[in-house]
């Protein structure tokens, strides 16, 4: 298991051939200051993950009903990792420039090719589209959530809604449902969590 902090924001929590890695657009300045992924209490990631089937084996093993931002590094032992498309923190993802994506997307591709997770799950189409364009060289812009038609070697690509409170199109219930679908997808391809 590896935790690398070669970046200005949050460390990567990655391990070879892990079942799942969650990929955010970039760390918020708040999360970077706290030292944890999705640290802002208004973010839907931890509440949704805690109520989804995806985290059932983890919650059972830890003897808790709820996972918190402080659990991000601990989830590596259960086969869930974390990284970002762009490692530069900002107050809002909208502050990222086109150059940020062009610089960082190929670096994410290198990390994914090195660690070869079974599933790389992007939080939001904004980040996935930038990755598809700047790391995969795709000209056709993906528009659907869920499993993507392209893979990166053995790594399947998947997109769920961005859990940020700024993404008002999706509710907490929607986010939970997407993590449940992700759990089903992992089961289908034989990539068990826990």
């Amino acid at each position: 298991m590896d935790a690398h902090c070669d970046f200005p924001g949050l460390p990567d929590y990655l391990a070879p051939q892990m079942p799942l890695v969650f990929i955010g657009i970039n760390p918020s300045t708040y999360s970077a200051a706290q030292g944890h992924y999705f640290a802002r209490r208004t973010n839907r990631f931890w509440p949704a993950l805690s109520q989804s089937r995806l985290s059932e084996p983890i919650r059972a093993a830890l003897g808790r009903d709820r996972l918190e931002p402080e659990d991000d590094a601990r989830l590596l032992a259960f086969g869930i990792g974390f990284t970002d498309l762009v490692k530069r923190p900002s107050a809002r993802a909208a502050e990222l420039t086109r150059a940020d994506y062009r610089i960082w997307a190929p670096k994410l591709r290198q990390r994914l090719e090195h660690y070869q997770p079974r599933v790389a799950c992007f939080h939001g189409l904004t980040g996935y589209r930038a990755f598809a364009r700047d790391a995969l060289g795709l000209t056709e812009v993906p528009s659907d959530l869920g499993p993507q038609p392209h893979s990166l070697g053995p790594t399947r690509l998947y997109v769920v809604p961005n859990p940020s409170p700024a993404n008002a199109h999706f509710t907490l219930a929607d986010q939970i449902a997407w993590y449940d679908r992700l759990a089903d997808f992992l089961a289908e391809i034989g990539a068990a969590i826990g």
Side-chain angles (χ1 to χ4, degrees):
M1 290 182 240
D2 300 328
H4 293 289
C5 197
D6 300 330
F7 312 112
L10 292 169
D12 279 340
Y13 295 117
L14 300 169
Q17 289 90 42
M18 64 192 324
L20 174 63
V21 61
F22 282 118
I23 302 168
I25 296 175
N26 76 312
S28 70
T29 49
Y30 181 83
S31 287
Q34 299 300 309
H36 296 290
Y37 284 84
F38 305 106
R40 194 173 298 279
R41 297 297 174 193
T42 54
N43 191 292
R44 292 185 293 259
F45 176 77
W46 293 105
L49 182 65
S50 294
Q51 295 176 58
S52 74
R53 288 193 319 271
L54 184 61
S55 69
E56 281 178 358
I58 300 166
R59 289 180 282 124
L62 296 176
R64 291 194 274 134
D65 291 333
R66 186 171 170 87
L67 300 172
E68 302 288 345
E70 295 76 18
D71 291 315
D72 55 3
R74 183 176 292 125
L75 294 192
L76 196 54
F78 295 96
I80 297 178
F82 292 91
T83 190
D84 295 290
L85 173 59
V86 175
K87 296 302 285 188
R88 180 176 75 82
S90 65
R92 297 182 342 267
E95 295 174 12
L96 297 177
T97 66
R98 180 77 180 85
D100 286 320
Y101 293 117
R102 281 196 302 264
I103 291 166
W104 287 100
K107 293 178 182 185
L108 173 60
R109 178 180 178 147
Q110 290 172 347
R111 293 194 307 279
L112 293 177
E113 288 176 334
H114 176 76
Y115 287 99
Q116 299 183 342
R118 294 291 306 278
V119 175
C121 180
F122 288 79
H123 277 106
L125 283 165
T126 298
Y128 180 68
R129 286 177 179 146
F131 180 79
R133 180 187 60 234
D134 296 324
L136 302 179
L138 300 179
T139 54
E140 193 172 315
V141 179
S143 60
D144 293 324
L145 297 171
Q148 299 302 304
H150 302 283
S151 295
L152 188 59
T155 302
R156 300 290 303 270
L157 305 176
Y158 199 97
V159 182
V160 297
N162 190 321
S164 167
N167 185 11
H169 294 94
F170 293 93
T171 64
L172 176 63
D174 294 330
Q175 200 78 34
I176 294 165
W178 274 105
Y179 292 143
D180 285 346
R181 288 182 191 116
L182 178 57
D184 294 341
F185 181 73
L186 287 163
E188 286 171 23
I189 66 168
I193 296 294

